[in-house]
Amino acid sequence: MGKDDDPYNPDKERPGYGISHPNYAAAHRHSYPGAPFEEPKVSDRRILAEVGKRLEASGNLDLTLIRVDVSCGEATIDGGVTSEAEVALVEEIVCGVPGITACQNNLRVVDGE
């Protein structure tokens, strides 16, 4: 058995292996100089916790009728508020949280009674 016939020879160029493989850069994205930087993924629980903190910090929202769910970075806002300005404010706060990739605003303006 010669050097080129040995399947365990690390010097042998084999199709589908090594740097010539088309997915090599994707698989080793952060292991070479000049690799594009990607933000690390943030868990949905952390995103939701940050959303809650920011909504509470706004101070002028009644959060008892607002519900926010986060799944795979996509936020869904449901519930009711007393004005269109509050609809826009809640959307701005939720969509501004790092890790949110999309925001579905289903808030409705309800009577303040």
Side-chain angles (χ1 to χ4, degrees):
M1 179 166 14
K3 179 179 177 182
D4 291 333
D5 297 330
D6 183 4
Y8 300 106
N9 180 356
D11 297 327
K12 181 179 178 188
E13 180 61 36
R14 295 173 290 181
Y17 295 92
I19 296 176
S20 63
H21 191 276
N23 290 330
Y24 180 85
H28 299 89
R29 186 169 317 233
H30 300 290
S31 63
Y32 62 93
F37 177 75
E38 290 184 10
E39 290 289 329
K41 300 283 185 208
V42 181
S43 76
D44 291 338
R45 288 177 70 183
R46 284 198 173 154
I47 293 171
L48 193 54
E50 184 62 25
V51 166
K53 287 179 192 174
R54 291 184 182 201
L55 287 172
E56 287 175 3
S58 71
N60 53 353
L61 291 171
D62 179 10
L63 301 179
T64 58
L65 298 177
I66 299 173
R67 179 178 174 184
V68 179
D69 289 319
V70 178
S71 178
C72 300
E74 297 180 5
T76 303
I77 310 166
D78 292 304
V81 291
T82 58
S83 70
E84 288 293 331
E86 287 184 356
V87 171
L89 177 62
V90 170
E91 183 174 4
E92 180 181 338
I93 291 170
V94 172
C95 294
V97 172
I100 296 289
T101 58
C103 194
Q104 176 66 42
N105 190 346
N106 300 328
L107 283 176
R108 301 197 189 280
V109 176
V110 294
D111 195 9
E113 292 178 19

